[in-house]
């Protein structure tokens, strides 16, 4: 019967193998040092921003890159933070609260003649996000947003009459549990109208509206 035992490597072969292993380790380590040591691990604490938008491609609260001088408002992360900004009416805040809003993300972009505010909120249920989007759109009608604006399917957008020299346009929609609100304001109605349409067209590429 054949006997199975421990194979003995000649001393020279052991030395050669050791040198090869050491060389591979040095090459791999060197490659990491030059090419990979600045790569951010997903989920790592204190991770630096990635890309111009400052978010990973998989970020659910994705705001489109629509230009302007930006204020990312990174301190607004949850509903309490949002309430402190006073940008929403009490009735609007109740809709976000009813939807059990989790994370929120806010960006303000200033242009020469208009200001755009994009607000995204993450809700635990997709159908709840849809219901809140519809309720918020209905609220806008009671605020005087009576002029409809052409928008992609699933998005509700309106313009309000001139109030104190300001025109305001707003859009709401839901996409996969994300509640999206776009607010555009400025002194010229035509510019507000066009900016609202352009911004919505870009944002639906980042968060697709539910069918």
């Amino acid at each position: 019967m054949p006997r199975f035992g421990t194979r003995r490597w000649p001393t020279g072969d052991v030395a050669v193998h050791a040198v090869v292993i050491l060389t591979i380790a040095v090459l791999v380590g060197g490659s990491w040092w030059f090419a990979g040591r600045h790569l951010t691990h997903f989920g790592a604490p204190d991770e630096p921003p990635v890309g111009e938008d400052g978010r990973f491609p998989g970020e659910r609260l994705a705001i489109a890159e629509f230009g302007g001088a930006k204020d990312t408002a990174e301190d607004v992360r949850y509903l309490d933070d949002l309430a402190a900004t006073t940008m929403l009416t009490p009735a609007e805040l109740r809709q976000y609260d009813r939807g059990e809003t989790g994370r929120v993300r806010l960006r303000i972009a200033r242009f020469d003649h208009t200001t755009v505010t994009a607000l995204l909120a993450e809700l635990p249920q997709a159908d709840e996000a849809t219901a809140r989007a519809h309720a918020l759109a209905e609220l806008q009608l009671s605020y005087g947003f009576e002029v409809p604006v052409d928008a992609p399917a699933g998005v509700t957008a309106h313009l309000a009459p001139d109030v104190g020299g300001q025109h305001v346009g707003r859009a709401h929609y839901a996409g996969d549990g994300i509640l999206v609100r776009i607010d555009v304001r400025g002194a010229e109605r035509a510019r507000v109208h066009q900016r609202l349409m352009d911004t919505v067209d870009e944002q639906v590429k980042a968060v697709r509206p539910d069918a």
Side-chain angles (χ1 to χ4, degrees):
M1 293 180 62
R3 297 181 62 186
F4 298 93
T6 303
R7 182 176 179 181
R8 297 182 179 275
W9 293 88
T11 303
D13 289 350
V14 172
V16 170
H17 279 76
V19 170
V20 170
I21 292 172
L22 179 60
T23 301
I24 292 172
V26 170
L27 290 174
V28 171
S31 298
W32 173 84
W33 177 257
F34 287 108
R37 68 191 182 98
H38 295 298
L39 295 179
T40 302
H41 296 284
F42 289 91
D46 301 322
E47 57 199 12
V50 175
E52 187 175 354
D53 189 44
R55 298 285 171 173
F56 292 114
E59 171 62 74
R60 279 173 51 75
L61 297 177
I63 297 178
E65 185 54 56
F66 42 75
K70 301 179 189 65
D71 176 3
T72 54
E74 290 294 338
D75 55 331
V76 179
R77 299 181 179 181
Y78 299 99
L79 190 57
D80 288 346
D81 303 326
L82 183 60
T85 67
T86 69
M87 65 173 286
L88 300 179
T89 67
E92 288 174 323
L93 277 172
R94 281 195 293 273
Q95 293 300 326
Y96 284 86
D97 187 50
R98 286 183 61 185
E100 299 182 355
T101 297
R103 294 187 304 150
V104 301
R105 190 177 177 203
L106 178 66
R107 175 185 290 168
I108 300 170
R110 307 181 192 281
F111 298 85
D112 289 341
H113 303 281
T114 56
T115 298
V116 176
T117 302
L119 170 63
L120 275 65
E122 188 174 35
L123 276 62
Q125 302 293 332
D127 57 349
E128 191 63 30
T130 300
R132 294 313 111 214
H134 289 163
L136 286 164
E138 288 294 322
L139 270 176
Q140 306 314 305
L141 296 177
S142 69
Y143 297 155
F145 287 79
E146 299 173 351
V147 181
V149 174
D150 289 338
V155 180
T156 303
H158 290 87
L159 289 173
D162 179 9
V163 178
Q166 284 281 305
H167 292 275
V168 183
R170 283 190 191 143
H172 293 84
Y173 74 91
D176 193 26
I178 303 300
L179 180 56
V180 179
R181 169 193 173 105
I182 303 294
D183 179 287
V184 180
R185 55 190 64 213
E188 299 180 36
R189 183 187 186 87
R191 292 182 185 274
V192 169
H193 188 177
Q194 188 61 52
R195 181 71 66 189
L196 180 63
M197 291 194 301
D198 292 346
T199 304
V200 169
D201 285 344
E202 289 301 316
Q203 182 57 39
V204 297
K205 298 174 185 177
V207 177
R208 294 177 180 271
D210 292 333

